């Protein structure tokens, strides 16, 4: 939508308020709401706000910030009672009006600009497959004398013996048994469809939805691919819609990578390809129908994957999912069709336009603007330096012997390991002034102090089970 069209659009829909959304450093939407009368001036001048309390942002002595609405993102919010125009904003410095260096969306814009400047391509398409859990309830707390969490779902396999249902009706997905069963095992088809309809209402094109592998309401809704920043915007809408539709139904949704022990976690397999004009650049006559460029892109992804994990798998909980021998692809290899490889080449269609690579390690807890930018910068580094990924690994990696696995590199085993990889390997991110040393230092410091230390310093129930009677 062009700026000149927004006022007409707002008037047509009886808009009373404008809701300005922006993404904070870790990856959560924040918002401020204004009367619609401020819309015209706000589009031109921006909206000022105090950024001192936004996670990972400015200190209080430099906290004045400015939001600049992106008029192309304007849409009526589907959840608010009062007609409200929702618009995604970029953050700029109020004095210079330069993009704020720690604004994730501005960073992703710089990544797109850098891609164009290389002459290699002009568009990076992304198609994330974000998985999530639909629970009936969640309780958790941390205190000096106790620590616990409790989630529940009427679909949970652990409830096969529960009597509170007024007569247990059974038909609960087994552990790792939730992939594609019809009702009455899959009880959330209608709820997922409501989510899809709401996504379509805000302009998201959806390809499919289904129950995922785990018990207890694990789900996936797949969006059609789009350019990097636009897809990151859509992924934020995706999370917002899924959580709010679930809440309206008396349910709760989490994108935590590993909320359940002993069952599959939630990943975000991320499809990506490069195009120049109308020309797909990943189709060719090499392995699995790939071009040399696509192979070099894979080489860059695999070479820099440990550092990329600091953004694509950004939580301590991410590494409960990335465990060797379980469901997540931790081994840094590539293959056609083989889902045990970290990079897969989908083979559903022979069309050159469908040729893409799928990076399977990321999870939906990530900040998509930072994660997508890190992936494309790693892939571009592979192309620029002709980093060949070596031979494809078409075997089931999970069945390889320890001796065979010694030759296959793997992702870090912890968030701390990923941050250390980022500290040692980040020059590819600094190209084109996309990432900055300040942002990387702040990210590493924030994650270590606010998350790693937070988890490391607290005893867990598992430790009481292991050690209380020592």
């Amino acid at each position: 939508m062009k700026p000149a069209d927004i006022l007409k659009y707002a008037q047509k829909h009886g808009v009373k308020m404008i809701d300005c959304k922006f993404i904070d450093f870790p990856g959560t939407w924040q918002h401020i709401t204004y009367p619609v009368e401020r819309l015209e001036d706000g589009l031109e001048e921006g909206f000022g706000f105090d950024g001192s309390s936004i996670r990972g942002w400015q200190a209080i002595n430099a906290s004045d910030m400015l939001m600049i609405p992106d008029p192309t993102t304007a849409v009526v919010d589907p959840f608010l009672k009062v007609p409200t125009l929702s618009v995604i904003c970029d953050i700029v410095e109020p004095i210079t009006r330069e993009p704020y260096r720690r604004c994730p969306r501005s960073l992703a814009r710089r990544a797109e600009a850098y891609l164009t400047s290389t002459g290699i391509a002009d568009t990076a398409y992304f198609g994330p497959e974000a998985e999530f859990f639909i629970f009936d309830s969640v309780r958790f707390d941390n205190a000096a004398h106790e620590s616990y969490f409790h989630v529940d779902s009427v679909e949970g396999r652990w409830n096969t013996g529960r009597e509170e249902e007024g007569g247990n009706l059974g038909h609960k997905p087994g552990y790792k048994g939730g992939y594609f069963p019809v009702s009455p095992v899959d009880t959330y088809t209608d709820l997922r469809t409501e989510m899809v309809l709401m996504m379509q209402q805000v302009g998201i094109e959806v390809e499919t939805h289904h129950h995922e592998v785990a018990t207890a309401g694990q789900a996936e809704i797949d969006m059609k691919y789009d350019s990097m920043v636009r897809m990151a915007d859509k992924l934020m809408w995706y999370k917002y819609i899924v959580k709010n539709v679930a809440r309206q139904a008396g349910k709760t949704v989490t994108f935590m990578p590993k909320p359940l022990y002993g069952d599959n976690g939630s990943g975000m397999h991320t499809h990506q390809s490069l195009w120049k004009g109308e020309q797909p650049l990943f189709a060719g006559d090499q392995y699995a129908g790939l071009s040399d460029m696509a192979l070099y892109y894979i080489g860059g992804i695999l070479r820099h994957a440990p550092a990329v994990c600091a953004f694509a798998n950004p939580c301590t909980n991410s590494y409960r999912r990335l465990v060797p021998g379980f469901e997540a692809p931790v081994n840094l290899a590539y293959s056609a069709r083989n889902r045990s490889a970290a990079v897969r080449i989908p083979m559903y269609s022979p069309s050159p336009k469908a040729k893409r690579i799928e990076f399977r390690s990321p999870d939906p807890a990530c900040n998509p603007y930072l994660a997508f930018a890190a992936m494309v910068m790693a892939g571009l580094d592979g192309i620029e330096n002709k980093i060949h990924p070596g031979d494809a690994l078409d075997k089931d990696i999970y069945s390889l012997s320890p001796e065979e696995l010694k030759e296959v590199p793997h992702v870090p085993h912890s968030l701390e390991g990923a941050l250390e990889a980022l500290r040692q390997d980040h020059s590819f991110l600094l190209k084109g002034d996309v990432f900055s040393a300040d942002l990387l230092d702040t990210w590493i410091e924030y994650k270590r102090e606010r998350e790693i230390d937070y988890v490391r310093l607290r005893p867990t129930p598992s430790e009481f089970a292991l050690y209380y009677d020592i």
Side-chain angles (χ1 to χ4, degrees):
M1 187 182 302
K2 297 178 181 178
D5 298 328
I6 291 185
L7 294 176
K8 293 179 182 178
Y9 179 85
Q11 186 175 14
K12 176 184 176 182
H13 291 277
V15 166
K16 302 297 183 184
M17 307 296 288
I18 175 171
D19 195 56
C20 292
K21 295 180 172 69
F22 63 94
I23 191 164
D24 67 8
F25 206 44
T28 301
W29 252 355
Q30 309 293 330
H31 77 131
I32 308 176
T33 310
Y34 304 93
V36 71
E37 290 76 14
R38 295 196 60 189
L39 175 58
E40 189 169 9
D41 289 342
L43 287 171
E44 183 176 338
E45 301 172 6
F47 295 95
F49 70 102
D50 176 8
S52 62
S53 296
I54 304 301
R55 296 179 297 175
W57 280 18
Q58 293 283 38
I60 198 166
N61 63 322
S63 58
D64 287 350
M65 307 299 295
L66 202 61
M67 289 186 292
I68 305 297
D70 180 348
T72 66
T73 67
V75 65
V76 173
D77 191 298
F79 294 103
L80 301 178
K81 292 181 180 178
V82 176
T84 300
L85 188 69
S86 175
V87 61
I88 301 173
C89 299
D90 296 305
I91 309 302
V92 304
E93 298 281 2
I95 298 175
T96 65
R97 295 184 74 88
E98 290 292 318
Y100 178 44
R101 300 298 297 176
R102 296 184 192 174
C103 171
R105 193 169 190 268
S106 296
L107 184 148
R109 283 182 178 274
R110 291 195 297 274
E112 287 187 323
Y114 174 70
L115 171 64
T116 302
S117 74
T118 64
I120 293 170
D122 51 34
T123 307
Y125 283 116
F126 279 78
E129 300 175 347
E131 299 167 347
F132 55 93
F133 278 87
I134 305 168
F135 292 136
D136 291 323
S137 66
V138 57
R139 293 184 289 112
F140 54 89
D141 200 5
N142 278 296
H145 69 296
E146 65 177 358
S147 177
Y148 69 89
F149 75 89
H150 180 88
V151 296
D152 204 5
S153 167
V154 69
E155 271 200 3
R157 187 68 173 186
W158 56 84
N159 279 323
T160 54
R162 187 169 71 172
E163 297 179 356
E164 290 83 357
E165 296 180 21
N168 200 309
L169 301 178
H171 298 297
K172 303 181 191 303
Y175 297 109
K176 299 182 181 292
Y179 205 57
F180 286 9
V182 298
S183 62
V185 177
D186 179 2
T187 64
Y188 288 127
T189 303
D190 285 338
L191 185 60
R192 294 194 306 270
T193 295
E194 288 182 37
M195 295 169 179
V196 168
L197 294 176
M198 197 70 80
M199 290 179 191
Q200 292 174 331
Q201 190 173 322
V202 301
I204 296 174
E205 189 171 349
V206 175
E207 294 187 330
T208 186
H209 73 78
H210 58 84
H211 203 291
E212 256 299 336
V213 172
T215 191
Q218 192 183 32
E220 178 177 313
I221 300 173
D222 293 338
M223 300 176 283
K224 184 178 180 180
Y225 65 89
D226 207 338
S227 57
M228 182 166 56
V229 172
R230 287 178 57 83
M231 180 48 74
D233 291 344
K234 289 179 178 180
L235 186 56
M236 296 311 298
W237 268 112
Y238 177 104
K239 290 185 174 184
Y240 179 75
I241 288 169
V242 164
K243 290 177 180 179
N244 279 285
V245 170
R247 187 176 180 85
Q248 288 178 343
K251 307 289 184 180
T252 178
V253 157
T254 182
F255 287 91
M256 274 182 69
K258 191 72 171 181
L260 298 180
Y261 167 74
D263 211 336
N264 278 29
S266 292
M268 189 181 76
H269 308 148
T270 304
H271 298 254
Q272 45 204 288
S273 63
L274 297 182
W275 288 56
K276 195 167 189 177
E278 299 299 315
Q279 181 68 31
L281 302 178
F282 276 10
D285 58 3
Q286 300 298 310
Y287 174 82
L290 294 176
S291 64
D292 286 327
M293 180 184 293
L295 288 172
Y296 295 145
Y297 189 97
I298 292 172
I301 290 284
L302 296 179
R303 169 77 61 84
H304 299 298
V308 171
C309 283
F311 295 106
N313 305 94
C315 306
T316 59
N317 186 253
S318 298
Y319 299 86
R320 313 288 190 210
R321 170 179 168 263
L322 293 180
V323 177
F326 290 84
E327 85 272 8
V330 300
N331 296 295
L332 296 174
Y334 75 103
S335 177
R337 304 177 64 186
N338 186 350
R339 284 172 167 78
S340 64
V343 173
R344 183 178 75 94
I345 298 94
M347 301 296 290
Y348 298 120
S349 170
S351 170
K353 293 183 177 181
K355 190 56 64 178
R356 62 197 186 275
I357 68 111
E358 176 193 22
F359 188 31
R360 296 176 58 80
S361 300
D363 66 57
C366 70
N367 182 326
Y369 301 95
L370 299 180
F372 293 170
M375 290 179 214
V376 81
M377 294 300 287
L380 286 175
D381 187 66
I383 294 169
E384 292 166 343
N385 291 291
K386 296 186 176 180
I387 301 173
H388 197 280
D391 294 333
L393 190 55
D394 291 328
K395 300 178 182 178
D396 179 357
I397 299 174
Y398 300 140
S399 67
L400 295 182
S401 67
E403 198 64 31
E404 291 174 299
L405 278 174
K406 283 182 181 180
E407 304 301 319
V408 183
H410 54 77
V411 300
H413 297 310
S414 67
L415 178 57
E416 192 166 21
L419 294 178
E420 179 59 24
L422 178 63
R423 189 186 68 79
Q424 295 186 21
D425 175 27
H426 58 259
S427 60
F428 70 99
L429 297 171
L430 301 177
K431 293 179 180 179
D433 205 28
V434 175
F435 287 77
S436 67
D438 169 73
L439 183 141
L440 296 176
D441 289 343
T442 303
W443 182 264
I444 292 170
E445 180 183 4
Y446 181 92
K447 288 291 176 178
R448 281 179 173 159
E449 291 184 358
R450 303 288 187 90
E451 298 181 27
I452 293 174
D453 288 348
Y454 182 91
V455 172
R456 181 167 51 197
L457 293 172
R458 284 165 169 77
T460 69
S462 295
E463 290 172 312
F464 273 77
L466 288 170
Y467 309 127
Y468 186 78
D469 59 353
I470 283 178

